[in-house]
Amino acid sequence: NYTSFEDAWNASVDFASSGKNVTFTLQKNWIADSNGSFGSGSGFDESGAIIYDKPFEITFDLNGCMVDRDLYTPFDGGAVIYLDTKMTIIDSKPDANSSKGIVKGGIITGGANNERGGGVVISDTATLNFNGGTILNCVSTDDGIQGEKATLNVDGGSFYGNRTYDSSGECCGGAIYGEKAVISIKNAVFEGNYAEDNGGAVCSYGGKLTVSQ
């Protein structure tokens, strides 16, 4: 038993780094503090964002709960989750009532980033399996949620109200952006996403994009 989300996530990251199969399951909403920080330690970056950079896969179960960075003004490092290796996001309680009232089930929200990605940023060679939950109302001033040269497998879940805008360069892919990335999308819902330039929902350059039902 852990007394805080911070302790539980740090312990999960440390367990996963030793090669153990780890599933981190939320039991209630996880909301960042007034500075937009989720915590400090091995599972967080300097700004307090959630990170995962260990060599073994970890599963993050939203379990009908919300992860909210609670940011309104974009700043560098303002995404909710930064992924450098491999993570699977699931939602064991997709019909749970949400405090946001817009969608049901688990939610990732409150990201506001001056760089690429407001919800989840996937680094080169990293892999995200997004199999449930909703990425909701995240904002970036460069491109959307996806990273470069990464792999994103979406099988379920939804993307609502994510936006990318106010950049001196192109803003593309309000929900998902990939450059030389491999992206697979099926059984997913996109609604109300916006990009200032190309691809309000999804934008892919120079990679592989597969969409199916």
Side-chain angles (χ1 to χ4, degrees), residues 79-137:
V80 180
I81 298 174
Y82 288 85
L83 177 61
D84 289 334
T85 49
K86 189 172 184 179
M87 176 184 289
T88 295
I89 296 175
I90 63 174
D91 183 14
S92 295
K93 296 181 179 178
D95 295 321
N97 290 326
S98 163
S99 60
K100 290 292 184 181
I102 302 171
V103 296
K104 289 189 173 183
I107 295 172
I108 296 171
T109 190
N113 196 3
N114 258 342
E115 304 164 311
R116 285 184 174 169
V120 181
V121 175
I122 312 168
S123 68
D124 290 4
T125 74
T127 297
L128 173 63
N129 300 311
F130 187 77
N131 297 340
T134 297
I135 297 180
L136 172 72
N137 291 342

Side-chain angles (χ1 to χ4, degrees), residues 3 62-63 82 86 94 100 143 181 187 199 208:
T3 58
L62 295 168
N63 195 36
Y82 288 85
K86 189 172 184 179
K100 290 292 184 181
D143 292 312
N187 303 318
K208 181 179 180 182

Side-chain angles (χ1 to χ4, degrees), residues 152 159 172-178 183 185 190 193 195 198-204 209 211:
L152 172 63
F159 301 79
C172 305
I176 295 173
Y177 173 84
I183 304 171
I185 302 171
F190 293 82
N193 301 288
N198 301 314
V202 180
C203 185
S204 176
L209 172 63
V211 180

Side-chain angles (χ1 to χ4, degrees), residues 50 56 60 107 117 147 152-153 158 166 174-175 197 204:
I50 297 167
F56 302 98
F60 196 117
I107 295 172
L152 172 63
N153 301 309
S158 56
D166 288 343
D197 295 300
S204 176

